[in-house]
Amino acid sequence: MVRVLIPSGALGLGYDRAALARGIAMRPDIIAIDGGSTDSGPHYLGTGTSKYSRNSTKAEWRELMAARAEAGAPLVIGTAGTCGADDAVDWLVDITREIAAETDSKLKIAVLKSGQDAEILKSALKAGRIAPLPPASALDADVLDACTNIVALAGAEQIAAALQTGADIVIAGRTTDTAIIAALPLQRGCHPGGAWHGAKIGECGALATTHPNSGTILIDFDETGFTMQPMGEGVRATPHTVSAHMLYENSDPIRLFEPGGYLDVSDAVYTACDDRSVRVEGSAWVPGPYTVKLEGACRSGFQTVSIALIRDPRYVANIRSWCDDIVVKCTAKAKARVEGDFGIELRIIGLDSTLGPLDTAAKSGTEVGVMGIVTAGTEALSMEVAKMLNPYLLHHPLSEDEEMPTFAFPFSPPEMPRGAIHEFCLNHILSLDDPMEAFHLDVIEVGA
Amino acid sequence: MSTVGDIAHKVRSKNAGPFWLTVDVFCGTPDAFARISQGLDSADVAAALQVDPGVLKRFDLANLNVVKFSAPRPAIQGTRADRDMHGASFAVLIAELPL
């Protein structure tokens, strides 16, 4: 039996301290926590940075490092620093060094990096080892060159290799959400379908329970399946909360693809052990070719944003035509005055800025916000055009024969540079002969 | 006329990675599941999301009283055309569909 303690769905999100303490008292074999995902957008992979505050990350990581020492079990984090790029891994390694020094601890750290070299991937592309996933099409080598960061998603094999070093802590770059939980149970011969299925159920901490914010859960893996129990006071896992989690952020609720195969839960049976824990058996692991998913982000320009607020009822009633007129006139003026491509978009907050053309039943209230977004190839051009947009947002009249109106601006200056913007540009898989060939494992010692 | 949202317990949408969107209609009871599963046309869901009906995946999960739809995102997450980084607002379009 392998006992995995999952403190929460992600480092930096917080958890219930009493629940974590209860979990530590149950003597887990490993503590596993996720450090990120793509869900916060392409900026983090594009820049190799973390979404969460450094201070929050350090505060929670310090507590988990203390929990590790108390449990005497390894602590593993996957997708460190939100995106799992090499720079984000180094960021968490630095935080770990600081904590080790401050707490007078000597620790062995396995550092698993998932960053990919574009030149090596170009050779793999030529060799036919990169394939698209729907809805992507075949990869163009130029896209690889354009990426500021490319990562491959490590699976259980790479995490197992890191654990085999005997490290106290494993800090991994991009991994699948499940790999950090499934690795030790698989390594110790637990049921493979149960290992992957339990890992999927546990990857968001207490999300698969009656109290998603309570954070900490414990999963026992064995030869025939797994048993999941929440650690929070009064928190329950039921066959419904557990089985429903296969829906979460999954396009297919039955099959989950991982490096080296897929999980199939068609025949899974969920049984309540008591009023708070659930036993699951019958999940199947279907082995396949060893492929890892690639993620890449590339720069797609620079943006400057402005916000104007419109309360005049006549302007609110005619806001769409007002915005359309501004875009046409400001675009023409800017084209005459600047060199280079740019785009001006006005989104009407309070009407349809959330869903755009999909929101066919949109209606506005007493006021609207107009968010001007200028995108260009350089930061300077984006700011220059945004400054040309400002007089329109401030004073543009609905008709020529009316007094010049003035609208509300919450800020001075009104232009807010967003810096470089990024896009996800890879949705492909890479075939590997050896699971470690695309990953880099180092062991370091930190602290006293 | 009732909408999907009137009958379902909850309608949730989320990203399933940067390129896919998934909508979970939690019907709550077998009766509500039967009404929604039989009354909600996949073509209407595809039209609401403005995606090709041929790429819309549908799962009618009687054991969970859930009808689930997945489709390529109307705009890839985080691109200039995307307005909802987490994909959470698309659920409203399905909840507002008449049954």
Short mmCIF file of all heavy atoms in Angstrom, two decimals, chain B residues 64-91:
data_model
loop_
_atom_site.label_atom_id
_atom_site.label_comp_id
_atom_site.label_asym_id
_atom_site.label_seq_id
_atom_site.Cartn_x
_atom_site.Cartn_y
_atom_site.Cartn_z
N LEU B 64 -24.16 9.83 -13.47
CA LEU B 64 -23.85 11.08 -12.77
C LEU B 64 -24.95 12.13 -12.94
O LEU B 64 -24.85 13.23 -12.39
CB LEU B 64 -22.54 11.68 -13.32
CG LEU B 64 -21.25 10.92 -13.01
CD1 LEU B 64 -20.08 11.54 -13.78
CD2 LEU B 64 -20.97 10.96 -11.52
N ASN B 65 -25.98 11.82 -13.74
CA ASN B 65 -27.00 12.82 -14.12
C ASN B 65 -26.34 14.06 -14.73
O ASN B 65 -26.68 15.20 -14.41
CB ASN B 65 -27.86 13.22 -12.91
CG ASN B 65 -28.71 12.06 -12.42
OD1 ASN B 65 -29.24 11.30 -13.23
ND2 ASN B 65 -28.81 11.91 -11.11
N VAL B 66 -25.38 13.80 -15.60
CA VAL B 66 -24.62 14.89 -16.24
C VAL B 66 -24.67 14.73 -17.76
O VAL B 66 -24.56 13.63 -18.27
CB VAL B 66 -23.15 14.87 -15.76
CG1 VAL B 66 -22.28 15.77 -16.65
CG2 VAL B 66 -23.04 15.32 -14.31
N VAL B 67 -24.87 15.85 -18.45
CA VAL B 67 -24.65 15.88 -19.90
C VAL B 67 -23.45 16.79 -20.12
O VAL B 67 -23.45 17.93 -19.65
CB VAL B 67 -25.89 16.42 -20.67
CG1 VAL B 67 -25.64 16.35 -22.17
CG2 VAL B 67 -27.13 15.62 -20.31
N LYS B 68 -22.46 16.25 -20.80
CA LYS B 68 -21.19 16.99 -20.97
C LYS B 68 -20.94 17.25 -22.45
O LYS B 68 -21.16 16.36 -23.28
CB LYS B 68 -20.05 16.15 -20.39
CG LYS B 68 -18.67 16.80 -20.44
CD LYS B 68 -17.64 15.88 -19.82
CE LYS B 68 -16.24 16.46 -19.82
NZ LYS B 68 -16.03 17.51 -18.82
N PHE B 69 -20.49 18.46 -22.76
CA PHE B 69 -20.13 18.82 -24.13
C PHE B 69 -18.68 19.32 -24.13
O PHE B 69 -18.28 20.06 -23.23
CB PHE B 69 -21.02 19.95 -24.65
CG PHE B 69 -22.48 19.57 -24.71
CD1 PHE B 69 -23.32 19.87 -23.64
CD2 PHE B 69 -23.00 18.92 -25.81
CE1 PHE B 69 -24.66 19.52 -23.68
CE2 PHE B 69 -24.34 18.57 -25.86
CZ PHE B 69 -25.18 18.87 -24.79
N SER B 70 -17.92 18.95 -25.16
CA SER B 70 -16.57 19.49 -25.33
C SER B 70 -16.40 19.92 -26.78
O SER B 70 -16.91 19.24 -27.69
CB SER B 70 -15.50 18.45 -24.98
OG SER B 70 -15.63 18.06 -23.62
N ALA B 71 -15.70 21.03 -26.96
CA ALA B 71 -15.47 21.53 -28.33
C ALA B 71 -14.17 22.33 -28.34
O ALA B 71 -13.75 22.85 -27.30
CB ALA B 71 -16.62 22.45 -28.75
N PRO B 72 -13.55 22.43 -29.52
CA PRO B 72 -12.41 23.35 -29.59
C PRO B 72 -12.87 24.74 -29.16
O PRO B 72 -13.99 25.15 -29.47
CB PRO B 72 -12.04 23.32 -31.08
CG PRO B 72 -12.54 21.99 -31.56
CD PRO B 72 -13.80 21.74 -30.79
N ARG B 73 -12.02 25.44 -28.43
CA ARG B 73 -12.42 26.77 -27.93
C ARG B 73 -12.79 27.70 -29.08
O ARG B 73 -12.11 27.70 -30.11
CB ARG B 73 -11.23 27.38 -27.19
CG ARG B 73 -11.29 27.27 -25.68
CD ARG B 73 -10.02 27.82 -25.09
NE ARG B 73 -10.26 28.47 -23.81
CZ ARG B 73 -10.63 29.71 -23.64
NH1 ARG B 73 -10.85 30.49 -24.70
NH2 ARG B 73 -10.82 30.20 -22.44
N PRO B 74 -13.83 28.55 -28.90
CA PRO B 74 -14.15 29.53 -29.94
C PRO B 74 -12.94 30.40 -30.29
O PRO B 74 -12.74 30.75 -31.45
CB PRO B 74 -15.28 30.35 -29.30
CG PRO B 74 -15.95 29.38 -28.36
CD PRO B 74 -14.82 28.53 -27.81
N ALA B 75 -12.12 30.76 -29.32
CA ALA B 75 -10.81 31.38 -29.58
C ALA B 75 -9.83 30.67 -28.65
O ALA B 75 -10.15 30.42 -27.48
CB ALA B 75 -10.82 32.87 -29.28
N ILE B 76 -8.64 30.34 -29.14
CA ILE B 76 -7.65 29.66 -28.30
C ILE B 76 -7.37 30.52 -27.07
O ILE B 76 -7.28 31.75 -27.17
CB ILE B 76 -6.36 29.40 -29.11
CG1 ILE B 76 -6.65 28.40 -30.24
CG2 ILE B 76 -5.24 28.87 -28.21
CD1 ILE B 76 -5.50 28.28 -31.25
N GLN B 77 -7.25 29.85 -25.93
CA GLN B 77 -7.05 30.56 -24.66
C GLN B 77 -5.90 31.56 -24.74
O GLN B 77 -4.78 31.20 -25.14
CB GLN B 77 -6.75 29.53 -23.56
CG GLN B 77 -6.60 30.16 -22.18
CD GLN B 77 -5.82 29.28 -21.23
OE1 GLN B 77 -5.25 28.28 -21.64
NE2 GLN B 77 -5.79 29.65 -19.97
N GLY B 78 -6.20 32.80 -24.37
CA GLY B 78 -5.15 33.81 -24.26
C GLY B 78 -4.76 34.49 -25.56
O GLY B 78 -3.90 35.37 -25.55
N THR B 79 -5.38 34.09 -26.68
CA THR B 79 -5.08 34.81 -27.92
C THR B 79 -5.80 36.15 -27.89
O THR B 79 -6.66 36.40 -27.04
CB THR B 79 -5.55 34.02 -29.16
OG1 THR B 79 -6.91 33.64 -28.96
CG2 THR B 79 -4.71 32.79 -29.38
N ARG B 80 -5.47 37.03 -28.84
CA ARG B 80 -6.06 38.37 -28.84
C ARG B 80 -7.57 38.31 -28.90
O ARG B 80 -8.26 39.17 -28.34
CB ARG B 80 -5.54 39.16 -30.03
CG ARG B 80 -4.21 39.78 -29.76
CD ARG B 80 -3.61 40.38 -31.03
NE ARG B 80 -4.44 41.44 -31.57
CZ ARG B 80 -4.17 42.06 -32.71
NH1 ARG B 80 -3.12 41.72 -33.41
NH2 ARG B 80 -4.94 43.04 -33.14
N ALA B 81 -8.12 37.32 -29.57
CA ALA B 81 -9.58 37.24 -29.72
C ALA B 81 -10.26 36.64 -28.49
O ALA B 81 -11.49 36.68 -28.38
CB ALA B 81 -9.92 36.42 -30.96
N ASP B 82 -9.48 36.05 -27.58
CA ASP B 82 -10.09 35.40 -26.41
C ASP B 82 -10.46 36.45 -25.37
O ASP B 82 -9.69 37.36 -25.10
CB ASP B 82 -9.11 34.37 -25.82
CG ASP B 82 -9.72 33.65 -24.63
OD1 ASP B 82 -10.94 33.43 -24.64
OD2 ASP B 82 -8.97 33.33 -23.68
N ARG B 83 -11.64 36.27 -24.78
CA ARG B 83 -12.12 37.24 -23.78
C ARG B 83 -12.25 36.62 -22.40
O ARG B 83 -12.59 37.31 -21.45
CB ARG B 83 -13.52 37.72 -24.20
CG ARG B 83 -13.52 38.51 -25.50
CD ARG B 83 -14.89 38.51 -26.13
NE ARG B 83 -14.91 39.32 -27.34
CZ ARG B 83 -15.33 40.58 -27.39
NH1 ARG B 83 -15.78 41.18 -26.31
NH2 ARG B 83 -15.31 41.24 -28.53
N ASP B 84 -12.07 35.32 -22.29
CA ASP B 84 -12.35 34.65 -21.02
C ASP B 84 -11.28 33.59 -20.79
O ASP B 84 -11.39 32.46 -21.27
CB ASP B 84 -13.75 34.02 -21.09
CG ASP B 84 -14.14 33.31 -19.80
OD1 ASP B 84 -13.33 33.31 -18.85
OD2 ASP B 84 -15.24 32.75 -19.76
N MET B 85 -10.23 33.96 -20.05
CA MET B 85 -9.03 33.14 -19.91
C MET B 85 -9.33 31.73 -19.39
O MET B 85 -8.67 30.78 -19.77
CB MET B 85 -8.05 33.84 -18.95
CG MET B 85 -6.63 33.39 -19.05
SD MET B 85 -5.94 33.65 -20.69
CE MET B 85 -5.98 35.43 -20.86
N HIS B 86 -10.30 31.60 -18.50
CA HIS B 86 -10.58 30.30 -17.89
C HIS B 86 -11.78 29.60 -18.54
O HIS B 86 -12.12 28.49 -18.14
CB HIS B 86 -10.79 30.46 -16.38
CG HIS B 86 -9.57 31.03 -15.70
ND1 HIS B 86 -8.61 30.24 -15.11
CD2 HIS B 86 -9.13 32.30 -15.59
CE1 HIS B 86 -7.65 31.02 -14.64
NE2 HIS B 86 -7.93 32.27 -14.91
N GLY B 87 -12.42 30.27 -19.46
CA GLY B 87 -13.55 29.65 -20.17
C GLY B 87 -14.79 29.47 -19.32
O GLY B 87 -15.69 28.72 -19.67
N ALA B 88 -14.86 30.19 -18.20
CA ALA B 88 -15.94 29.93 -17.25
C ALA B 88 -17.29 30.53 -17.66
O ALA B 88 -18.33 30.09 -17.18
CB ALA B 88 -15.55 30.46 -15.87
N SER B 89 -17.28 31.52 -18.54
CA SER B 89 -18.53 32.23 -18.85
C SER B 89 -19.36 31.57 -19.94
O SER B 89 -20.54 31.88 -20.09
CB SER B 89 -18.22 33.66 -19.29
OG SER B 89 -17.51 34.31 -18.28
N PHE B 90 -18.76 30.67 -20.70
CA PHE B 90 -19.50 30.04 -21.80
C PHE B 90 -20.69 29.24 -21.29
O PHE B 90 -21.65 29.01 -22.01
CB PHE B 90 -18.57 29.15 -22.63
CG PHE B 90 -17.49 29.93 -23.33
CD1 PHE B 90 -16.25 30.13 -22.75
CD2 PHE B 90 -17.71 30.49 -24.58
CE1 PHE B 90 -15.25 30.86 -23.38
CE2 PHE B 90 -16.73 31.21 -25.24
CZ PHE B 90 -15.49 31.40 -24.63
N ALA B 91 -20.62 28.81 -20.02
CA ALA B 91 -21.71 28.02 -19.43
C ALA B 91 -23.04 28.74 -19.55
O ALA B 91 -24.09 28.12 -19.76
CB ALA B 91 -21.40 27.74 -17.95
#
